[in-house]
Amino acid sequence: MLILVCNVGSTSLKYKLFNMPSTDILVEAKTERVGRTDAIFSYRNNLSGFSEKLEEVPVLGYADGIRLFLRYLLGEKSGALRSIDELEAIGFKTVLAKGYYGVHELTEEVLAAMEAYVRVAPAHNPPYIEAIRVFRSLLPDRLMVGCFETAFHTTIPLSRRIYALPYEWYEEYGICRLGYHGASHGYIARCIRERAGEHFRLISCHMGGSGSICAIQDGKSVDTSFGFSLQTGIPHANRAGDLDAYVIPFLLSQGLSMEEILDGIDKKGGLLGISGVSNDLRDIQQAAEAGNDRAALAIDAFCDAVVKYIGAFYTELGGMDYLVFTGGIGENSALVREKICTRLSCLGVKFDSEANRALRGEGVLSTPDSPARVLVLPTNEEVGIARTIYEKVSAGELRS
Ligand code: AMP
């Protein structure tokens, strides 16, 4: 069953084509700098070995970008499909929609529900809505499926999802913790289940441009650092993470506009806000090494927040069998992993510093006698999405 998974960023489009149930990637493609005349397009057909990279190509919007990709996907030399009819479904790592928390066919009602939450996910929902509409107009007969990032977290008990606010706000407006990065944490949970069997206590740390920590009991999410929006939890690349709500009215009283405040929270905050250097941890690490105190502070604030969530989730889970790092920072920053793990000996982590420093890609960071096993596992959100769609279509739960 051929399933295409499309990951939509504010200026990027990434694609992976699978022939499920095999999780091998048949085609992998990416357009960066969507919206510009000097976009970069790379395409690889793993079946035929065809590979091409175009630089300085005009991709003025998602419609241009998607047409370009489809031309390659169906092309004589580059193509993996003879006809678009061979494609069973197109899956999207959609973020959230009002009232839809699982896996859904992307009908007009679902798109309207995504539009209703544009204010909650301003950086994520608009690009997805636009790209999905383009796909629908180009391929009106194909099944389009949204795997909402909130789906994995519907198993969190209400006592941990409810905010201590007037209960009517929960009932009337749906204000509660929803949680995100479901595709990534779900994928990690599945990897651990393959190693550990049905029963395990796992803390999954997805640390990237956007980060979240998730407590997982026997494969199910039981708590997460994200809240109603993606503005909560640990610091992100340029989003603040956890913030006292009363900072906002106070800053308003000081003469800042709401726009300026929100800009500070979701564009100029996070690692960028503290460090003043960059939103990319590589630059911040370099600056810290060169003696920049604010860069060092940003790294410490990030690691402190992660340690705090791990401690809280350890208690909620009643222990920790596995601790997993994933995402761009989790998979690549030995410094951040070391700063976090050396503080976890009280939670049964025996950390192997040398293994950590030597590690490239997947591996184990704990000593063989460590009560808690610490792993780095590269996430693969697209496989999780393709798998979910394959299972739902096979079970007749989605139109086939
Ligand atoms: P992601 O959003 O998962 O792609 O993660 C992106 C982030 O990972 C980047 O902004 C960097 O901060 C971080 N990152 C990637 N590679 C490295 C590296 N080698 N060392 C430190 N941080 C890295």
Side-chain angles (χ1 to χ4, degrees):
M1 185 186 296
L2 286 163
I3 296 174
L4 176 70
V5 179
C6 179
N7 194 331
V8 184
S10 53
T11 61
S12 68
L13 286 161
K14 293 180 196 154
Y15 315 86
K16 281 184 188 165
L17 178 70
F18 299 93
N19 191 5
M20 298 303 291
S22 161
T23 53
D24 294 345
I25 299 165
L26 304 187
V27 167
E28 204 167 352
K30 181 161 78 172
T31 309
E32 293 165 279
R33 300 199 213 158
V34 172
R36 294 171 45 155
T37 51
D38 59 347
I40 302 168
F41 176 69
S42 55
Y43 178 99
R44 197 169 71 234
N45 181 336
N46 292 324
L47 285 173
S48 66
F50 177 94
S51 163
E52 196 153 283
K53 185 166 185 179
L54 307 178
E55 306 211 9
E56 314 251 331
V57 57
V59 177
L60 300 183
Y62 291 117
D64 276 359
I66 292 165
R67 270 197 214 100
L68 176 65
F69 168 69
L70 291 176
R71 220 167 42 236
Y72 272 74
L73 187 66
L74 296 164
E76 209 174 300
K77 263 168 57 192
S78 55
L81 307 180
R82 267 159 295 154
S83 147
I84 205 68
D85 294 339
E86 292 176 48
L87 197 59
E88 187 76 31
I90 304 170
F92 297 88
K93 190 169 71 80
T94 39
V95 176
L96 89 162
K98 190 163 193 256
Y100 293 91
Y101 301 111
V103 178
H104 297 278
E105 182 174 350
L106 291 163
T107 60
E108 268 311 313
E109 290 81 51
V110 178
L111 286 174
M114 288 173 72
E115 261 159 8
Y117 269 177
V118 160
R119 198 74 204 84
V120 188
H124 298 82
N125 272 16
Y128 264 106
I129 294 166
E130 196 185 331
I132 291 162
R133 288 225 153 95
V134 170
F135 264 111
R136 276 166 57 110
S137 70
L138 294 174
L139 309 173
D141 299 331
R142 292 301 91 200
L143 172 65
M144 312 263 162
V145 182
C147 295
F148 287 92
E149 286 282 64
T150 47
F152 185 62
H153 302 292
T154 51
T155 46
I156 298 177
L158 184 59
S159 57
R160 291 179 194 154
R161 299 205 300 127
I162 194 90
Y163 287 116
L165 288 169
Y167 193 77
E168 301 73 44
W169 295 2
Y170 166 62
E171 289 181 310
E172 205 166 316
Y173 306 110
I175 305 290
C176 64
R177 287 189 187 91
L178 296 174
Y180 301 92
H181 288 156
S184 177
H185 293 306
Y187 174 82
I188 297 298
R190 200 163 171 147
C191 292
I192 296 300
R193 174 174 279 156
E194 280 162 15
R195 289 161 192 252
E198 289 301 309
H199 300 294
F200 57 88
R201 295 161 299 182
L202 157 69
I203 298 180
S204 167
C205 303
H206 179 113
M207 310 190 301
S210 181
S212 72
I213 315 298
C214 186
I216 296 168
Q217 174 91 53
D218 303 338
K220 293 196 171 80
S221 172
V222 292
D223 209 346
T224 183
S225 58
F226 266 138
F228 178 62
S229 76
L230 295 103
Q231 306 300 336
T232 44
I234 61 174
H236 310 278
N238 23 4
R239 303 199 306 273
D242 288 335
L243 180 73
D244 181 337
Y246 262 48
V247 168
I248 297 174
F250 176 73
L251 288 176
L252 279 170
S253 79
Q254 300 299 296
L256 272 71
S257 69
M258 193 52 141
E259 208 175 35
E260 284 173 305
I261 297 169
L262 292 180
D263 213 42
I265 293 173
D266 68 25
K267 292 192 186 68
K268 298 178 185 153
L271 292 173
L272 171 66
I274 302 175
S275 71
V277 169
S278 166
N279 65 359
D280 190 308
L281 187 74
R282 285 165 286 204
D283 304 331
I284 300 170
Q285 284 183 180
Q286 240 178 25
E289 269 169 39
N292 183 318
D293 288 343
R294 271 177 57 187
L297 179 64
I299 297 168
D300 286 344
F302 180 86
C303 296
D304 277 347
V306 175
V307 166
K308 188 151 110 181
Y309 273 106
I310 292 172
F313 290 169
Y314 177 97
T315 319
E316 284 183 350
L317 288 167
M320 174 173 71
D321 305 309
Y322 288 88
L323 175 68
V324 174
F325 293 108
T326 192
I329 295 173
E331 290 165 32
N332 296 297
S333 177
L335 174 77
V336 163
R337 294 191 306 244
E338 170 126 22
K339 274 180 173 279
I340 293 168
C341 290
T342 46
R343 292 166 65 194
L344 302 181
S345 54
C346 58
L347 307 185
V349 169
K350 291 191 182 174
F351 184 61
D352 185 338
S353 288
E354 259 173 53
N356 178 49
R357 273 193 293 271
L359 187 73
R360 301 284 172 272
E362 183 172 337
V364 181
L365 306 182
S366 46
T367 58
D369 62 335
S370 176
R373 286 177 69 73
V374 183
L375 307 174
V376 173
L377 295 176
T379 194
N380 194 337
E381 296 164 297
E382 289 82 5
V383 161
I385 288 167
R387 233 181 224 151
T388 304
I389 295 172
Y390 171 71
E391 286 166 1
K392 294 255 175 200
V393 169
S394 304
E397 291 171 32
L398 281 169
R399 168 169 80 92
S400 158

